[in-house]
Amino acid sequence: SSAVPLSEIEKNEEDWQLAQTYLNRFYKLKDSSAGFASKNRNYVSKSSLSNKIKKMQEFFGLEITGNLDSATMGIMEKPRCGVPDVAE
Amino acid sequence: YNHFPGTIKWKKDKITYRILNYTPDISSTDVDTAIWRALKIWSDITPLKFTRIFEGEADIMISFGAREHGDNYPFDGANGLLAHAFPPAAGIGGDTHFDEDETWTMGSNGYNLFLVAAHEFGHALGLAHSRDPGALMFPTYTFASVNEFRLSQDDVSGIQALYGASNEIKPNPRPQPPKTPEKCDPYLSFDAVAGLRGEMLFFKDRFFWRRHPQMPEAQLTLINSFWPKIPAKIDAAYENFERDFLVVIQGNKYWAVNGYDVMPGYPKNIRRFGIPSSVRKIDAAVHIRTTSKTLFFAGDQYWSFDETKRAMDEGYPHLITDDWPGIPARVDAAFEQHGYIYFFRGPAQFLYNIREQRVLQIDRINQWVGC
């Protein structure tokens, strides 16, 4: 097996960062369940992230995979309005 | 469309607005005009009346700011977040903020202030984001010609659900707002169909469905959201495999698209293919890999262009019905796959076997877009 090139790891890391910021801003990412305790204020469980990705994919009529596929990243990178899609 | 939780709306029809500051990107007169026009699209179709004030607290306070600008919802520099607005309420309710780090424009070379303001004022009046990709209230920005701009039916239905229709008698009734195509519409027809690097694209009005072979669902997107530099609506399209680009045709012009980019030097005139100037519109185009021929259909005729020789084949045009038994006299769209040509006419598709030279099957077209 060959090591994943550093640039790809960084790219993935970048995508996840962008996704977390995006989902936090527009899909209420932070898990508000009372028992949710985490050392790192920004820690978000993978399943919570995947659920929010599904919510976003459903909103935009994308294939609902819960993964950061290219179509999903493509939407996240588009210029847009700052109002949340899932309104509080 | 969506409203905010609690269906928040203004409890009055007379709403004031005040422009607190300006962007250096465009003249203050242009900003005034863009704001006025952006409010007018909503007042034209509801009983709402907007009045500008120049001091004191207005319902809709409009300002340009960058990064943290006083409401605890910071902007993020150029691109990304463009603006935001607060739902109807006293105080900050209705207020609308534009990110000063963007390049604001009255045209298309930057973010068009009218289009963004019209969207944000939808929020300031009580509309949340819509899932309809053809709606103004869709979350992402897509440039559209300001002079041809019209609210979609989704936007009109959403705002009139809050405030009702305009109570003014209009001398000349407004044309019907544009509707977003429905994948299960039994009368659906396609404007154009083409493959692109393994995916299928089905064009209809300002939109296209993008479908990946392994995916049952097809994603509906505005054409200009993907390709801002081609026309909002096209007549025909085909994939040029040899040169790995998509050709889209509108009127007597064509564009070559490589991925997201329109290739330099386009649009070109379809005369270059040898199509006579009497042809004003191409209905369908299809590239056949095995013969390296591209067929152009217009009215009840078609032409055959040899991509290898880069020249029109002799003796064309032919009548469609002469060479394609079982295919209607006119077609809307066509594409080739694995030795078959799929012809589309209205709600029907005709599966044509090139080698056997006959139609094998006739189906409804909705299945291609997930219905």
Side-chain angles (χ1 to χ4, degrees):
Chain A
S1 70
S2 62
V4 175
L6 194 58
S7 59
E8 188 152 327
I9 295 173
E10 281 166 354
K11 173 82 177 76
N12 284 344
E13 189 48 42
E14 245 174 66
D15 286 353
W16 279 104
Q17 281 304 323
L18 184 147
Q20 286 202 46
T21 305
Y22 189 97
L23 295 166
N24 178 28
R25 191 173 262 153
F26 301 117
Y27 289 83
K28 297 184 302 164
L29 174 62
K30 283 204 172 44
D31 191 325
S32 52
S33 55
F36 182 78
S38 81
K39 297 182 194 56
N40 167 353
R41 202 170 69 85
N42 286 323
Y43 169 77
V44 172
S45 69
K46 276 276 192 229
S47 69
S48 166
L49 198 62
S50 178
N51 288 335
K52 295 304 172 183
I53 291 173
K54 285 179 182 171
K55 247 190 198 238
M56 179 251 175
Q57 289 170 331
E58 187 203 359
F59 188 96
F60 281 95
L62 299 170
E63 194 66 25
I64 299 177
T65 63
N67 304 322
L68 274 187
D69 46 55
S70 62
T72 302
M73 284 309 298
I75 293 275
M76 287 183 173
E77 287 158 355
K78 281 184 179 297
R80 59 161 289 159
C81 169
V83 172
D85 297 334
V86 177
E88 290 172 317
Chain B
Y1 63 83
N2 287 295
H3 297 134
F4 289 109
T7 319
I8 332 174
K9 57 178 276 199
W10 296 103
K11 304 282 188 285
K12 55 187 178 179
D13 285 349
K14 289 182 176 44
I15 295 165
T16 56
Y17 72 97
R18 180 179 166 196
I19 302 172
L20 293 172
N21 64 357
Y22 287 91
T23 169
D25 302 343
I26 43 185
S27 73
S28 54
T29 312
D30 277 347
V31 172
D32 293 349
T33 304
I35 296 296
W36 175 81
R37 288 185 68 174
L39 288 166
K40 184 174 185 295
I41 63 161
W42 297 111
S43 57
D44 277 353
I45 55 167
T46 62
L48 298 173
K49 294 279 178 285
F50 297 106
T51 306
R52 183 176 179 183
I53 63 175
F54 295 83
E55 54 193 8
E57 178 78 14
D59 297 313
I60 299 178
M61 299 287 263
I62 297 160
S63 60
F64 292 82
R67 300 288 178 182
E68 181 45 67
H69 53 279
D71 63 11
N72 212 18
Y73 290 93
F75 286 132
D76 57 353
N79 304 313
L81 301 183
L82 304 181
H84 56 219
F86 294 84
I92 199 169
D95 291 4
T96 302
H97 303 155
F98 298 93
D99 184 352
E100 187 37 73
D101 283 333
E102 310 304 344
T103 300
W104 294 104
T105 174
M106 298 297 275
S108 62
N109 52 332
Y111 294 109
N112 184 280
L113 181 60
F114 160 75
L115 292 172
V116 176
H119 173 103
E120 297 308 331
F121 293 149
H123 290 316
L125 298 174
L127 289 179
H129 281 145
S130 170
R131 296 184 49 188
D132 179 336
L136 171 67
M137 295 315 291
F138 195 66
T140 54
Y141 174 87
T142 297
F143 176 74
S145 157
V146 172
N147 296 328
E148 293 154 26
F149 174 81
R150 307 246 307 289
L151 284 176
S152 77
Q153 183 59 58
D154 183 77
D155 300 308
V156 173
S157 304
I159 199 74
Q160 291 186 344
L162 288 174
Y163 300 101
S166 166
N167 39 29
E168 278 176 27
I169 311 296
K170 299 268 193 267
N172 43 347
R174 312 170 60 78
Q176 275 299 312
K179 281 194 175 191
T180 300
E182 297 273 349
K183 64 183 179 184
C184 294
D185 175 358
Y187 301 103
L188 179 67
S189 63
F190 294 138
D191 294 334
V193 178
L196 183 59
R197 296 181 181 168
E199 293 192 327
M200 287 302 304
L201 309 177
F202 300 88
F203 294 86
K204 178 65 180 177
D205 300 336
R206 299 178 291 147
F207 305 85
F208 69 98
W209 278 280
R210 181 182 170 197
R211 176 161 176 198
H212 194 280
Q214 278 80 36
M215 306 276 192
E217 280 299 310
Q219 182 197 349
L220 186 63
T221 305
L222 277 173
I223 294 172
N224 285 155
S225 163
F226 236 69
W227 299 297
K229 293 188 171 58
I230 69 173
K233 181 176 166 29
I234 65 168
D235 298 333
Y238 69 92
E239 182 175 18
N240 184 317
F241 287 90
E242 285 78 9
R243 304 167 74 186
D244 186 30
F245 55 61
L246 175 73
V247 176
V248 295
I249 304 169
Q250 199 261 344
N252 61 5
K253 293 191 180 56
Y254 69 99
W255 289 255
V257 175
N258 191 313
Y260 284 94
D261 304 317
V262 174
M263 296 173 76
Y266 288 86
K268 294 179 180 176
N269 194 302
I270 57 173
R271 308 279 160 273
R272 295 169 61 92
F273 290 114
I275 294 169
S277 52
S278 57
V279 173
R280 316 300 301 166
K281 174 180 182 291
I282 298 292
D283 296 327
V286 54
H287 178 74
I288 302 173
R289 266 169 283 185
T290 48
T291 61
S292 195
K293 306 277 190 189
T294 299
L295 309 183
F296 296 95
F297 296 79
D300 59 359
Q301 300 177 311
Y302 81 102
W303 285 259
S304 171
F305 180 81
D306 188 311
E307 294 282 354
T308 312
K309 291 183 228 159
R310 302 291 303 149
M312 189 62 83
D313 288 330
E314 293 293 317
Y316 283 86
H318 293 183
L319 277 179
I320 295 170
T321 45
D322 285 353
D323 293 2
W324 303 94
I327 298 299
R330 294 163 179 262
V331 293
D332 295 336
F335 80 92
E336 183 266 338
Q337 200 173 61
H338 310 317
Y340 295 95
I341 294 183
Y342 294 79
F343 287 100
F344 298 87
R345 178 66 174 164
Q349 99 178 3
F350 300 77
L351 176 61
Y352 186 89
N353 183 310
I354 298 174
R355 191 171 46 79
E356 295 176 18
Q357 296 189 8
R358 66 188 180 93
V359 171
L360 297 186
Q361 201 173 313
I362 300 177
D363 280 312
R364 308 192 57 73
I365 69 172
N366 305 82
Q367 56 182 319
W368 286 103
V369 290
C371 181

